[in-house]
Amino acid sequence: MSRLPACFLGLAAGVIATLALVATGCSEHGSVSPAAAAIPAPTADSDGGAAQAPDASGPHAVTYADIAPLIAANCLACHDHGGAAPYPLTTFAEVAPMSGAIASAVSSHLMPPWLPARDCQTFRDARVLTDSQIAMFSAWSAAGAPQGTPFDPATMPAKVPPTLQWTDQTVDIGADYAPTGAQGPADDWRCFVLDPMTTEDKIVVGYDLEPTFRGQVHHAGFLQGPVAAARARDAADPGPGWSCPGNVDTPTSNLIGSWASGYGAVSYPAGTGMALGKGQGLILQIHYHVHDLTKPPVLDRTRISLQYARSSTVEASFLSLGVSGINLPPYSKGNVLTQQITLPTDTVIRGGVGHMHLFGQKIHVEAAPPAAGSSCLFDVPRWDYRWEELVFMQPPPLLPAGTTLTLTCTWDNPTDTPVVDGLTLTGEMCDLGFITTPP
């Protein structure tokens, strides 16, 4: 019924159909009854945890004093000095000249980066602005980005990225690596094997990724896999690690997690965790993005901090949908393939991650419980390979046995060459992996 996707973040997957995985999240807020006819969806103006602000149509003109808290809460994780974004947005002098570009980016939902649709499910830590917040950016730009009454930015509450309550082990990539721009003038996808040298099975309940210089690490993902095979792949490529755009090109089993610059540590839901087998390694894929090509890249020695379970913990499972037989004719649009599976048991959907390459446009999953209409379970209306990440539903839907899941994948091909199935970025894929637990 299920199969492991061929990759996550372009990562090659293993051969086991159902694998131990885990969703992140701070707490549960309830599940949908197995008898429910539909999956609940958020309101269209859900803010997903973003900072609140006065409406743009309020009694006063929008000034920088209104905009600055939104920037601090939703942008500074990356748009800080030394951050992953190409320019900082820490002061009025830095923000005001960018007001038009910011208004355009937030109005088109390109920023803050967040792939899932707002009207399908609610998610933990969603980077989503409300409609009124978006309108504020537009109003401020249209008014010429007025500063208004000067204020002290230090009075704004700081948004501190989450940290781990404790750390049991830290492992690094084993050597300093200088990003090369191997896949483009500023991009380098590089894989490394990290060996935690576990002498017994562990359950990971939290993790954090710590680059030497986070300003050149865009995002990363890591899986469990055999150390010997990964080291052999490493030895076949000059320098530390190996080039891996599209897939990790070494055997892997289950996903451990994903990480994006500026968003801090990840903790799994209370009472759940991710299995890390005795003697298994971590296969880490890093997307480096170097902004200033006039300077040498910073030598990187990224490390991963791991937090292991200290009490009874439930392992989650990985449920995958995916399509094959992709064949996109030249200059074609709206190419669609689908796949269906039926759940044999009651299943809680904790989170999910989609994967497509550069020609992907949309990923959508409908859930149809027995004797009920279908409902949206997962929807990415505008795919962007750069922002692929594991996301976590809150509350997690509970689907009854017999529910049919239908995956629909859509691609365009603007080139003069057919595009077919392939693990590299010149080919295409479409997989959706759900992180699940029993009720």
Side-chain angles (χ1 to χ4, degrees), residues 29-32 36-49 114-128 347-352 363-369 373-381 391-399 403 405 432 434:
H29 295 269
S31 298
V32 181
I39 302 167
T43 61
D45 200 41
S46 172
D47 69 358
W114 182 254
L115 293 183
R118 294 195 298 170
D119 57 355
C120 179
Q121 290 291 318
T122 53
F123 294 89
R124 176 197 169 202
D125 298 329
R127 299 184 295 275
V128 178
T347 302
V348 179
I349 306 295
R350 300 281 181 170
I363 301 177
H364 184 83
V365 178
E366 286 283 317
S374 64
S375 298
C376 181
L377 181 62
F378 195 91
D379 184 43
V380 175
V391 294
F392 308 98
M393 297 174 184
Q394 187 172 283
L398 171 56
L399 302 180
T403 296
L405 305 182
L432 195 291
F434 285 120

Side-chain angles (χ1 to χ4, degrees), residues 215-231:
Q216 67 183 12
V217 173
H218 189 275
H219 67 269
F222 55 106
L223 302 93
Q224 176 178 245
V227 174
R231 283 181 173 163

Side-chain angles (χ1 to χ4, degrees), residues 124-142:
R124 176 197 169 202
D125 298 329
R127 299 184 295 275
V128 178
L129 296 174
T130 66
D131 292 337
S132 61
Q133 291 169 340
I134 292 171
M136 287 184 66
F137 281 104
S138 297
W140 187 59
S141 175

Side-chain angles (χ1 to χ4, degrees), residues 73-425:
N74 298 282
C75 308
L76 290 190
C78 294
H79 287 272
D80 198 355
H81 292 275
Y87 49 84
L89 296 173
T90 63
T91 66
F92 174 74
E94 292 169 346
V95 175
M98 302 298 296
S99 63
I102 295 171
S104 177
V106 300
S107 295
S108 60
H109 302 292
L110 291 175
M111 290 287 151
W114 182 254
L115 293 183
R118 294 195 298 170
D119 57 355
C120 179
Q121 290 291 318
T122 53
F123 294 89
R124 176 197 169 202
D125 298 329
R127 299 184 295 275
V128 178
L129 296 174
T130 66
D131 292 337
S132 61
Q133 291 169 340
I134 292 171
M136 287 184 66
F137 281 104
S138 297
W140 187 59
S141 175
Q147 182 177 16
T149 303
F151 73 104
D152 182 3
T155 62
M156 291 190 304
K159 183 174 183 179
V160 179
T163 58
L164 297 176
Q165 291 184 345
W166 76 88
T167 297
D168 292 299
Q169 186 174 14
T170 299
V171 289
D172 66 32
I173 62 175
D176 292 339
Y177 176 70
T180 64
Q183 286 83 42
D187 293 291
D188 186 2
W189 278 268
R190 196 77 177 177
C191 285
F192 306 90
V193 56
L194 292 72
D195 188 1
M197 296 185 288
T198 54
T199 58
E200 60 183 2
D201 292 342
K202 300 284 189 180
I203 297 182
V204 178
V205 296
Y207 61 85
D208 197 4
L209 193 116
E210 302 167 62
T212 300
F213 174 49
R214 65 185 180 92
Q216 67 183 12
V217 173
H218 189 275
H219 67 269
F222 55 106
L223 302 93
Q224 176 178 245
V227 174
R231 283 181 173 163
R233 179 64 187 87
D234 189 350
D237 195 302
W242 63 97
S243 180
C244 57
N247 73 97
V248 298
D249 197 25
T250 189
T252 59
S253 52
N254 51 288
L255 172 71
I256 300 291
S258 67
W259 180 93
S261 182
Y263 291 98
V266 175
S267 296
Y268 299 120
T272 67
M274 176 60 187
L276 176 61
K278 173 183 176 181
Q280 290 290 294
L282 301 176
I283 314 303
L284 170 66
Q285 184 195 48
I286 297 177
H287 174 198
Y288 293 100
H289 184 83
V290 180
H291 296 293
D292 189 350
L293 300 180
T294 66
K295 299 178 181 178
V298 177
L299 292 176
D300 179 60
R301 191 160 183 153
T302 289
R303 62 182 188 173
I304 298 176
S305 295
L306 299 170
Q307 188 181 73
Y308 298 132
R310 297 184 175 181
S311 59
S312 178
T313 303
V314 177
E315 298 176 20
S317 299
F318 199 63
L319 173 66
S320 178
L321 295 86
V323 302
S324 58
I326 299 169
N327 190 344
L328 314 179
Y331 305 117
S332 61
K333 291 187 176 182
N335 300 279
V336 174
L337 286 176
T338 63
Q339 189 215 8
Q340 282 190 339
I341 63 172
T342 300
L343 300 178
T345 60
D346 293 353
T347 302
V348 179
I349 306 295
R350 300 281 181 170
V353 56
H355 179 76
M356 305 176 89
H357 291 167
L358 303 181
F359 300 92
Q361 299 297 312
K362 302 176 184 179
I363 301 177
H364 184 83
V365 178
E366 286 283 317
S374 64
S375 298
C376 181
L377 181 62
F378 195 91
D379 184 43
V380 175
R382 182 168 54 190
W383 173 257
D384 189 331
Y385 179 76
R386 299 168 298 173
W387 300 112
E388 180 176 309
E389 67 178 312
L390 191 59
V391 294
F392 308 98
M393 297 174 184
Q394 187 172 283
L398 171 56
L399 302 180
T403 296
T404 298
L405 305 182
T406 302
L407 168 69
T408 302
C409 307
T410 306
W411 302 265
D412 291 346
N413 178 11
T415 74
D416 60 0
T417 304
V419 176
V420 298
D421 297 271
L423 293 176
T424 66
L425 295 182

